[in-house]
């Protein structure tokens, strides 16, 4: 049976597709995060704000994953994510959160 | 460098086609950040209520040795209520498509329903987080749930002429002004004083860009286009805790909502339900609907910087 894909969201580098194939429906989201990395890098090179320190930019696809997996409001999990060495490219201020 | 590549694939949420309603939640939840972050509950009537209470003001005054108890007046709870409203969308697939390929028709209907589900969620996000007064409804007027902005009265910064909403009225918009670091800090400070701990700020892409350009980052705003701003959630650290700035196209661009997701819920009288509609011609129609309202468990847990330039 053919596979059918409908785009349900399309923003800068972010794509969410609704897919029907055989007896299964699926939602698949992908994001090109290169602009987000550049954005975080750029903010990291600027002088910090007086009262607000920019810490990181979380790609929307990761925020979506957190929403779907039920940890979007879990501050401890976010701290873990922000302090993970693999996610340092999204950090503008590199200290421990 | 890190393992990050230029393309992330995060998940594949799958379901039997018949359980289409189950994937509704999975369709682009970041387009409806407010309803996706707050909790949910079930209710059993179109009018639902809950109670809020406040602790008495703190006192550091000591007691005499052998003091005689003078009983304090109890702090009464406050009963709040809201109503559930109905939102719906429908999709129709023609009989010609059915004749040519029955499987394709089912497939097409699934896709139409997916698009309807997304549209329905956007309708709900608008109804929940914007500025609408409660309307009880009657035979000719639909019920309308009192939306988030209309609840807020404690931690508010409004433009000239702006006024808080009430049980029967939406908030009155004031004169728009630019978002500044001082305005945001002012509301966060008020919230801190009142014991609130907002975790998330929901605002339009313009004001998320403005926040990037706060003191010391005057170049930043010029370098960031709106689409880049929409593609990520910013994390800021301040004297009052960490704050995530979530861009939203469904909240009002003129308002920055400071939300503690623990203190708001979508109250469902009927969760997402899809049903077949009786044929009235050469086509099949499915309806998808939800009957829901907003419970703001304690409005003092939230805040708003209102009347911002857009």
């Amino acid at each position: 049976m053919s596979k059918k894909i409908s785009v349900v969201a399309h923003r800068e580098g972010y794509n969410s597709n609704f897919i029907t194939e055989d007896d299964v429906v699926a939602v698949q989201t992908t994001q090109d995060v290169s602009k987000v990395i550049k954005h975080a890098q750029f903010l990291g090179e600027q002088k910090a704000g007086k009262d607000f320190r920019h810490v990181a930019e979380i790609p929307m696809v990761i925020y979506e994953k957190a929403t779907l997996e039920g940890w979007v409001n879990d501050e401890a999990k976010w701290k873990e994510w922000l302090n993970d060495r693999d996610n340092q490219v999204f950090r503008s201020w590199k200290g421990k959160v | 460098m890190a393992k990050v590549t230029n393309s992330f694939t995060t998940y594949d949420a799958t379901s039997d086609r018949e359980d289409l309603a189950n994937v509704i939640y999975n369709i682009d939840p970041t387009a409806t950040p407010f309803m996706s972050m707050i909790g949910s509950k079930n209710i059993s009537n179109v009018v639902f209520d809950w109670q809020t209470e406040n602790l008495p003001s703190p006192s550091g005054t000591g007691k005499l040795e052998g003091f005689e108890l003078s009983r304090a007046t109890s702090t009464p709870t406050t009963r709040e209520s809201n109503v559930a409203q109905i939102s719906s969308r429908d999709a129709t697939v023609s009989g010609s498509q059915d004749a040519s390929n029955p499987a394709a028709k089912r497939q097409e209907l699934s896709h139409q329903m997916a698009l309807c589900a997304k549209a329905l969620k956007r309708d709900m996000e608008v109804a929940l987080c914007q500025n609408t007064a409660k309307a009880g409804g009657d035979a000719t007027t639909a019920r309308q749930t009192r939306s988030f902005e209309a609840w807020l009265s404690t931690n508010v910064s409004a433009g000239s002429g702006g006024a808080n909403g009430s049980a029967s009225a939406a908030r009155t918009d004031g004169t728009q002004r630019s978002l500044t670091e001082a305005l945001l800090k002012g509301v966060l400070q008020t919230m801190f004083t009142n014991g609130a701990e907002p975790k998330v700020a929901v605002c339009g892409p313009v004001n998320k860009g403005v926040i990037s350009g706060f003191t010391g980052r005057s170049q930043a705003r010029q370098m960031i286009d709106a689409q880049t701003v929409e593609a990520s959630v910013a994390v800021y650290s301040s004297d009052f805790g960490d704050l995530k700035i979530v861009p939203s196209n469904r909240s009002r661009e003129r308002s920055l909502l400071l939300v503690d997701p623990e203190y708001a819920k979508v109250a469902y009288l009927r969760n997402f339900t899809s049903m077949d509609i009786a044929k009235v011609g050469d086509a099949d129609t499915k309806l998808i609907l939800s009957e829901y309202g907003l419970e703001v468990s304690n409005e003092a847990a939230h805040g708003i910087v209102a009347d911002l330039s857009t």
Side-chain angles (χ1 to χ4, degrees):
Chain A
M1 184 175 167
S2 62
K3 179 175 179 178
K4 181 167 174 147
I5 300 175
S6 297
V7 175
V8 290
H10 177 66
R11 298 186 279 277
E12 185 69 23
Y14 172 97
N15 276 290
S16 187
N17 297 325
F18 181 80
I19 302 162
T20 314
E21 188 172 21
D22 297 327
D23 283 329
V24 167
V25 293
V27 180
Q28 182 181 55
T29 303
T30 59
Q31 182 173 7
D32 177 346
V33 295
S34 52
K35 280 199 172 181
V36 178
I37 293 171
K38 271 189 198 159
H39 181 36
Q41 259 175 358
F42 175 75
L43 290 176
E45 288 160 5
Q46 308 301 305
K47 187 179 155 199
K50 199 165 63 178
D51 295 309
F52 292 94
R53 176 194 285 151
H54 185 273
V55 174
E57 289 288 324
I58 302 168
M60 200 53 91
V61 73
I62 300 296
Y63 194 76
E64 181 167 326
K65 180 181 163 75
T67 303
L68 295 168
E69 291 178 357
W71 53 276
V72 72
N73 296 325
D74 186 337
E75 294 304 309
K77 282 277 277 183
W78 278 119
K79 282 192 176 174
E80 195 183 309
W81 190 90
L82 290 166
N83 289 325
D84 189 329
R85 288 172 62 86
D86 287 345
N87 298 324
Q88 292 306 295
V89 286
F90 301 114
R91 295 285 303 272
S92 55
W93 175 72
K94 307 283 185 183
K96 190 172 182 200
V97 179
Chain B
M1 173 119 34
K3 69 178 180 186
V4 175
T5 62
N6 279 347
S7 183
F8 269 24
T9 301
T10 58
Y11 67 93
D12 291 291
T14 59
S15 170
D16 292 338
R17 184 179 288 128
E18 287 70 23
D19 297 331
L20 186 62
N22 291 346
V23 296
I24 288 174
Y25 289 106
N26 295 348
I27 296 175
D28 199 14
T30 53
T32 56
F34 182 77
M35 70 176 279
S36 296
M37 86 172 83
I38 62 177
S40 65
K41 64 180 280 192
N42 294 320
I43 52 174
S44 53
N45 203 319
V46 292
V47 178
F48 58 101
D49 50 33
W50 63 96
Q51 296 189 9
T52 61
E53 58 187 350
N54 295 310
L55 290 172
S57 302
S59 167
T61 309
K63 300 286 187 189
L64 289 172
E65 277 190 29
F67 72 96
E68 183 182 350
L69 179 67
S70 171
R71 282 175 291 184
T73 310
S74 296
T75 307
T77 55
T78 305
R79 191 171 193 164
E80 306 284 6
S81 79
N82 206 347
V83 296
Q85 70 173 71
I86 301 169
S87 294
S88 79
R89 291 278 176 168
D90 61 87
T92 300
V93 172
S94 73
S96 299
Q97 192 152 15
D98 187 13
S100 59
N101 183 349
K105 187 208 78 168
R106 285 200 312 159
Q107 201 175 47
E108 181 59 31
L109 203 52
S110 292
H111 280 263
Q112 291 298 324
M113 289 300 286
L115 296 176
C116 283
K118 180 174 162 118
L120 177 62
K121 284 174 70 178
R122 287 163 47 148
D123 294 345
M124 291 173 66
E125 177 82 356
V126 167
L128 292 166
C129 78
Q130 291 202 359
N131 181 33
T132 314
K134 180 170 78 174
D138 54 30
T140 54
T141 310
R143 285 188 305 277
Q144 191 79 43
T145 201
R146 183 178 174 185
S147 58
F148 190 67
E149 284 194 37
W151 278 100
L152 305 178
S153 61
T154 304
N155 307 307
V156 177
S157 168
S160 172
N164 294 333
S166 67
S168 57
R171 64 172 299 103
T172 307
D173 288 332
T175 307
Q176 288 176 283
R177 66 262 162 87
S178 299
L179 175 61
T180 62
E181 196 164 0
L183 274 181
L184 179 53
K185 190 184 171 190
V187 177
L188 287 173
Q189 197 163 351
T190 307
M191 295 181 79
F192 182 79
T193 306
N194 290 328
E197 296 175 10
K199 309 288 191 309
V200 180
V202 178
C203 63
V206 170
N207 282 313
K208 183 172 182 262
V210 171
I211 293 170
S212 298
F214 276 173
T215 313
R217 297 182 190 278
S218 53
Q219 295 175 51
R221 193 180 170 196
Q222 296 160 14
M223 298 290 290
I224 303 160
D225 62 73
Q227 286 184 317
T228 303
V229 165
E230 281 184 64
S232 59
V233 170
V235 182
Y236 283 83
S237 171
S238 77
D239 294 343
F240 309 108
D242 294 344
L243 193 64
K244 291 186 202 69
I245 314 286
V246 180
S248 170
N249 290 328
R250 305 275 87 78
S251 64
R252 296 202 302 166
E253 181 75 79
R254 63 181 295 139
S255 304
L256 184 145
L257 309 174
L258 292 157
V259 184
D260 186 338
E262 277 186 47
Y263 291 94
K265 289 183 179 68
V266 185
Y268 287 101
L269 181 60
R270 283 186 287 174
N271 208 330
F272 294 107
T273 309
S274 70
M275 57 189 88
D276 296 321
I277 300 300
K279 284 174 85 85
V280 292
D282 182 24
D284 286 324
T285 303
K286 264 186 181 286
L287 172 75
I288 183 167
L289 70 75
S290 179
E291 190 161 10
Y292 62 95
L294 178 66
E295 175 181 309
V296 177
S297 312
N298 192 337
E299 68 80 23
H302 312 286
I304 181 172
V305 187
D307 307 321
L308 301 173
S309 303
T310 58

